[in-house]
Amino acid sequence: MSHQELSEQEIIRRNSLQKMRELGIDPYPAAQYHVNTTSAKIKAGFAKNENNFQDVVIAGRMMSQRIMGKAAFAEIQDHEGRIQIYVNRDEICPGEDKALYNEIFKKLLDIGDIIGVKGFAFITQMGELTVHVKELTVLSKSLRPLPIVKEKDGQTFDAFTDPEQRYRQRYVDLIVNPQVKDTFMKRTVIYNTMRQMFNEYGYHEVETPILQPIPGGAAARPFITHHNALNMPLYMRIANELYLKRLIVGGFEGVYEFSKDFRNEGMDRTHNPEFTVMEIYVAYKDYKWMMEFTEEICERVAVALHGTTKVQLGDHVIDYKAPFPRVTMTEAIKEHTGYDITGKSEAELRDICDKLGIETDPSMGKGKLIDEIFGEKCEGNYIQPTFIIDYPVEMSPLTKKHREHPELTERFELMVNGKELANAYSELNDPIDQRERFQDQLSLSEKGDDEAMFIDQDFLRALEYGMPPTSGMGIGMDRLTMFMTNSPSIQDVLFFPQMKPEKKAVELTEDEKIVHNLLQETSPVELNELKTKSELSNKKWDKAIKGLTSKKVAKVENTGAGLSITIL
RNA sequence: GACUCAGUAGCUCAGCUGGUAGAGCACAUCCCUUUUAAGGAUGGGGUCCUGGGUUCGAACCCCAGCUGAGUCACCA
């Protein structure tokens, strides 16, 4: 990057860096810096025992600086918060040489630089707990100015709020917006709470493949990739269900996995292409047991985060106090639409959809139609935690048939705030039934449902060896985190939400611009056609198109039928 | 994918009816030894998202595009 592209402030900071080196200060020292406490520990402990804080060493990022002649105040932010420091010229420079204060601290250090200080804690005349600095060490020079967010009496000034910048430069967001960091700390507390609980129960945390030859366990469009050495397609996993159940077959009686899943579908406030699911499978249990287990998870997580089962979420207070109501899908639909779907045929269900104003298409089977009715008319009504239970068999190909109603399955979804939070079954372990259900999915697929499941022969083989009765459950961890931290968007609970890559404006020559404009009208386009349209000479054409490809603005591909040019 | 809104200094934002681009913070120089969204003085800093068009003249109006956000659709 040339100096011309740098802003004035960036140039000044690079110059400061240079001057620092000239003064014999290493702006990026290698040696370990021995910190002996943190901002939060000083704040928590000073009032109880001042003597414990007469020799403190802390390090962090300088977030503000108030210089008054021979003395100055600054704030240091470490991983637990901020604390003020007091810097006096004659104390950090006891001899004749005052350069460390006059030059380094006052002029060459900037907001954002990382420093370490040694000193003692005291209270200023204004009542602020402060570290009186005896020794100051430069630990890392920052070359870019940070947004300066200020706060007074709970009011925030000049907040760094632009969502695009916050998501693209999450590191900056984390530095200047403490509430953002807090959300991610809470996310970790949620994981730790759940892990601890599962481990208390004696279940094993395991890992299963992300690259799979057959994407199974859910109805979703997968990402596809290619393995060069094997020369075969591989899919990114959409769920881990089928692998975890293989482990139950293998003799584990309780397994769980926190797993990144990938779905090649739309993105919005609640969907990111990669997201995290926790799936757990426990042998000799059924979905009724799993409901109580799920209640315990919710209660423990809420209490770990908030000290209570009541959690604010938007305009609602969600109470995760067990037990949650159990409502069958049939009851739910009857309650919110007035229609009883019991024993209805596909045609009758389609008729109900028409009357309710729900669009249908011929690829939808019975299960999908019922799912549509529920999703359209019922789902949004369940704000407080509610188990919706006993789903139609068509929409649950991996679930055991209901012990009393063979047209239903032993399945529940936990609804919170009108959205699905968890999904669980008494797992289907009859291999012959399972094979038939897969066959049914296949015929759905042939009807045009591109989410219907593939047949996983190896999974069927595993079931044929015998799987104990098992209950399994999955929780969307991102959604759980959103609910538990009152975050309105999934981007607020993912450090690095998926975004389009940043595009830099590229300088184009006149001829390149002509070709580029034509490409904006039609792309991809056949090479000779584009060349004719551009009306450029052979030489100019060649130069223009080579320029565009080298600047990664366009790409030339051999399609077999000829050369085709695509805009990037 | 559709619609709506937005893009101006490092950050947050003004910018009237189209007429030489502004403020606060930050930055630079200076004053000040317990300040605290420090204060005071002076100064520097701009591809007004990009490309066209209208116009004597465009940050502003029109068209196209890019990026983001929101709503909806799709999607467990």
Side-chain angles (χ1 to χ4, degrees):
Chain A
M1 191 185 273
S2 76
H3 254 213
Q4 283 172 347
E5 289 168 335
L6 297 174
S7 70
E8 184 198 26
Q9 292 195 45
E10 287 172 295
I11 293 167
I12 288 168
R13 283 175 181 232
R14 278 170 164 74
N15 289 340
S16 298
L17 178 78
Q18 186 55 35
K19 283 184 201 157
M20 234 181 234
R21 289 203 158 109
E22 284 162 12
L23 285 165
I25 304 279
D26 181 356
Y28 303 106
Q32 175 182 182
Y33 190 77
H34 294 274
V35 171
N36 69 10
T37 186
T38 66
S39 60
K41 282 180 193 142
I42 298 173
K43 286 182 171 175
F46 185 78
K48 286 176 214 148
N49 189 347
E50 295 187 18
N51 291 331
N52 288 345
F53 300 95
Q54 293 311 300
D55 194 11
V56 298
V57 184
I58 57 169
R61 199 180 287 276
M62 188 164 74
M63 297 304 287
S64 70
Q65 216 186 5
R66 295 180 287 281
I67 293 170
M68 304 155 298
K70 295 176 197 119
F73 289 91
E75 275 179 300
I76 286 200
Q77 175 170 295
D78 63 18
H79 73 117
E80 290 183 339
R82 289 190 189 184
I83 192 161
Q84 179 169 269
I85 62 169
Y86 171 75
V87 182
N88 182 300
R89 185 191 70 184
D90 296 323
E91 298 207 40
I92 65 166
C93 304
E96 287 302 306
D97 180 8
K98 305 297 184 191
L100 179 62
Y101 183 78
N102 286 338
E103 292 301 316
I104 305 287
F105 182 76
K106 273 172 71 173
K107 292 188 181 169
L108 303 183
L109 277 184
D110 293 295
I111 290 174
D113 290 352
I114 295 168
I115 59 174
V117 297
K118 216 175 263 198
F120 61 89
F122 77 110
I123 307 256
T124 65
Q125 288 173 13
M126 299 299 289
E128 178 89 9
L129 179 57
T130 301
V131 174
H132 189 122
V133 176
K134 300 292 229 183
E135 226 182 283
L136 186 148
T137 311
V138 177
L139 298 175
S140 183
K141 179 87 190 111
S142 162
L143 297 181
R144 283 177 185 265
L146 283 173
I148 310 290
V149 181
K150 290 176 175 166
E151 199 199 310
K152 178 163 185 166
D153 302 331
Q155 202 182 341
T156 304
F157 300 84
D158 297 341
F160 178 63
T161 53
D162 179 44
E164 180 174 4
Q165 290 199 72
R166 287 185 44 226
Y167 301 148
R168 286 198 195 281
Q169 299 186 240
R170 181 67 89 184
Y171 35 89
V172 175
D173 195 25
L174 288 165
I175 292 167
V176 303
N177 289 327
Q179 71 285 4
V180 171
K181 192 170 178 185
D182 184 57
T183 296
F184 288 100
M185 305 283 279
K186 286 194 167 118
R187 185 177 174 123
T188 302
V189 170
I190 293 171
Y191 280 64
N192 290 346
T193 304
M194 289 171 66
R195 267 205 179 90
Q196 190 184 340
M197 171 175 160
F198 302 157
N199 291 343
E200 278 172 24
Y201 272 80
Y203 305 147
H204 290 273
E205 181 164 15
V206 298
E207 293 182 276
T208 62
I210 290 173
L211 289 174
Q212 305 180 346
I214 296 172
R221 288 190 200 104
F223 284 92
I224 185 163
T225 183
H226 185 264
H227 191 284
N228 289 341
L230 294 174
N231 190 23
M232 63 180 278
L234 284 172
Y235 299 88
M236 312 278 281
R237 79 171 154 210
I238 54 175
N240 12 13
E241 171 149 4
L242 302 187
Y243 281 95
L244 291 174
K245 285 200 273 199
R246 283 171 170 95
L247 296 180
I248 298 292
V249 171
F252 286 96
E253 294 188 358
V255 289
Y256 69 93
E257 180 173 16
F258 289 92
S259 58
K260 269 284 174 78
D261 286 356
F262 305 84
R263 296 188 184 177
N264 205 343
E265 291 165 353
M267 289 168 59
D268 60 27
R269 210 175 63 254
T270 56
H271 295 85
N272 195 63
E274 60 178 288
F275 59 102
T276 307
V277 171
M278 192 293 303
E279 287 193 35
I280 184 164
Y281 291 81
V282 184
Y284 310 114
K285 306 296 186 191
D286 63 6
Y287 79 135
K288 294 184 177 179
W289 176 89
M290 191 58 88
M291 279 190 252
E292 290 173 19
F293 189 76
T294 305
E295 287 169 338
E296 185 179 344
I297 294 172
C298 291
E299 271 194 1
R300 283 172 75 152
V301 167
V303 170
L305 289 175
H306 305 289
T308 164
T309 56
K310 294 187 171 68
V311 180
Q312 187 78 37
L313 181 58
D315 298 331
H316 303 289
V317 173
I318 310 290
D319 191 348
Y320 292 95
K321 180 81 191 141
F324 309 154
R326 276 87 164 140
V327 180
T328 68
M329 174 151 273
T330 309
E331 287 165 3
I333 290 175
K334 198 188 278 181
E335 186 185 341
H336 293 106
T337 69
Y339 289 98
D340 186 350
I341 56 162
T342 312
K344 291 283 186 290
S345 69
E346 186 175 319
E348 288 169 314
L349 288 169
R350 207 172 288 278
D351 186 47
I352 292 173
C353 283
D354 288 345
K355 286 181 181 149
L356 291 170
I358 298 167
E359 283 183 34
T360 61
D361 67 66
S363 79
M364 292 177 174
K366 268 173 80 173
K368 192 84 178 164
L369 290 168
I370 294 169
D371 192 25
E372 286 294 319
I373 298 172
F374 181 77
E376 203 65 31
K377 299 291 173 190
C378 310
E379 191 174 66
N381 295 304
Y382 296 100
I383 302 300
Q384 293 299 325
T386 306
F387 290 116
I388 303 297
I389 64 172
D390 300 347
Y391 283 61
V393 67
E394 293 85 354
M395 53 193 289
S396 311
L398 301 165
T399 313
K400 192 175 275 200
K401 281 186 182 139
H402 195 278
R403 60 195 80 177
E404 288 157 18
H405 309 284
E407 75 284 7
L408 300 177
T409 54
E410 298 211 347
R411 171 178 181 181
F412 73 77
E413 285 192 4
L414 174 58
M415 310 301 299
V416 174
N417 201 37
K419 299 256 165 52
E420 172 199 345
L421 180 59
N423 182 17
Y425 321 137
S426 297
E427 301 295 337
L428 178 55
N429 62 346
D430 174 344
I432 291 169
D433 189 359
Q434 182 67 78
R435 189 176 292 276
E436 285 167 4
R437 304 273 198 101
F438 276 142
Q439 298 287 2
D440 294 343
Q441 289 289 307
L442 199 62
S443 51
L444 280 178
S445 174
E446 280 159 5
K447 269 171 89 178
D449 185 345
D450 55 4
E451 293 184 346
M453 296 181 189
F454 294 70
I455 297 184
D456 187 333
Q457 297 293 350
D458 176 69
F459 173 68
L460 289 170
R461 178 167 62 187
L463 284 192
E464 285 167 4
Y465 282 99
M467 181 174 85
T470 297
S471 183
M473 191 266 293
I475 290 185
M477 294 303 295
D478 307 297
R479 196 165 282 179
L480 178 64
T481 307
M482 287 168 66
F483 286 173
M484 288 291 177
T485 60
N486 196 12
S487 300
S489 162
I490 196 169
Q491 292 169 309
D492 295 323
V493 299
L494 297 171
F495 275 126
F496 304 105
Q498 196 57 245
M499 300 190 74
K500 287 197 193 178
E502 291 176 84
K503 269 193 184 163
K504 273 191 184 166
V506 186
E507 282 291 313
L508 300 182
T509 66
E510 284 309 305
D511 291 344
E512 286 168 3
K513 275 182 196 164
I514 292 169
V515 178
H516 188 247
N517 286 341
L518 288 169
L519 271 171
Q520 281 186 331
E521 286 164 25
T522 30
S523 168
V525 61
E526 203 270 322
L527 184 138
N528 279 313
E529 187 189 334
L530 181 64
K531 183 181 164 189
T532 312
K533 266 204 221 161
S534 72
E535 296 176 341
L536 293 170
S537 69
N538 281 342
K539 197 168 193 178
K540 280 187 158 189
W541 157 259
D542 188 59
K543 205 170 176 197
I545 194 64
K546 280 181 177 160
L548 286 174
T549 50
S550 72
K551 285 167 189 166
K552 310 257 185 230
V553 175
K555 129 183 120 163
V556 183
E557 280 173 311
N558 193 337
T559 57
L563 293 175
S564 140
I565 300 182
T566 312
I567 195 163
L568 295 176

